[in-house]
Amino acid sequence: MTHQMQYLTFHLSGEEYAIDILQVKEIIEYDALTKVPMTPPWVRGVINLRGSVAAVIDLAVKFGHPESPVGKRTCIVIVEVDLGGERSVMGIMADAVSQVMAFSPEQVTPPPAFGTKIRTDYLKGMGKAGKKFVLILDADRVLSADELQVVASLQEAAGSDPRPAEEREPGR
């Protein structure tokens, strides 16, 4: 029997994405966020997650789309990612959560070098779901340590560089 990986699929700006189910902690209703000044546009704000501060990331903005409008099915997928060797919890805004899908290794193809609107290093691959593909995100890369230094230092917002990582000089 082939080993299958399970992924939670969700919609974002008309595309269907998937994230490893083992990194998903919970799915919560979209609620009021606290905006934090001097953060990149893709950081929608923070929420109080049982007494902890969790940043909420709008991947649509991070991937170059307009800000996601909040609708009836908008939710926040709470994920655990590896930030420089430490486990960190944050939220990903989703237009809607679909389902849990299982893909065998044969159903996952490498990400193409063209055609997707996001950086291919953000993708683990593309899962074949019938006639279409689901983009499988590498959550640790999408929400990587260098790009989320801003998030880690939300409490000390003064003095942080508000520009996205792409605009900063390497080594800063």
Side-chain angles (χ1 to χ4, degrees):
M1 188 174 131
T2 18
H3 176 69
Q4 291 196 324
M5 294 284 296
Q6 290 192 318
Y7 298 92
L8 175 74
T9 62
F10 60 94
H11 292 274
L12 199 63
S13 299
E15 293 280 342
E16 191 169 15
Y17 294 93
I19 194 162
D20 188 333
I21 196 80
L22 298 176
Q23 289 186 285
V24 176
K25 295 296 154 207
E26 62 186 302
I27 300 163
I28 60 175
E29 194 177 329
Y30 184 88
D31 204 359
L33 299 179
T34 304
K35 284 272 190 201
V36 180
M38 307 290 287
T39 55
W42 42 263
V43 177
R44 278 296 270 262
V46 294
I47 55 170
N48 180 346
L49 189 64
R50 289 180 294 287
S52 302
V53 174
V56 176
I57 308 301
D58 187 342
L59 289 181
V61 173
K62 189 166 173 103
F63 296 161
H65 300 287
E67 195 172 270
S68 295
V70 177
K72 284 187 174 113
R73 298 185 62 203
T74 302
C75 57
I76 299 170
V77 179
I78 303 295
V79 296
E80 187 177 67
V81 292
D82 184 359
L83 290 183
E86 284 190 35
R87 303 308 291 163
S88 188
V89 174
M90 59 194 52
I92 296 174
M93 216 173 135
D95 296 340
V97 168
S98 297
Q99 61 188 324
V100 172
M101 293 181 108
F103 293 115
S104 65
E106 300 82 48
Q107 292 174 296
V108 178
T109 61
F114 61 89
T116 63
K117 297 178 182 125
I118 65 173
R119 292 175 24 188
T120 53
D121 62 327
Y122 285 169
L123 297 174
K124 282 185 178 177
M126 294 172 60
K128 292 178 194 157
K131 292 182 179 180
K132 62 186 179 97
F133 284 101
V134 175
L135 301 172
I136 302 172
L137 294 174
D138 184 338
D140 292 336
R141 284 234 173 109
V142 172
L143 308 170
S144 66
D146 51 329
E147 292 184 290
L148 288 176
Q149 281 179 326
V150 180
V151 174
S153 61
L154 280 173
Q155 286 84 2
E156 47 191 88
S160 68
D161 190 336
R163 296 174 297 163
E166 298 82 36
E167 295 174 17
R168 283 188 241 137
E169 288 143 33
R172 276 195 163 181

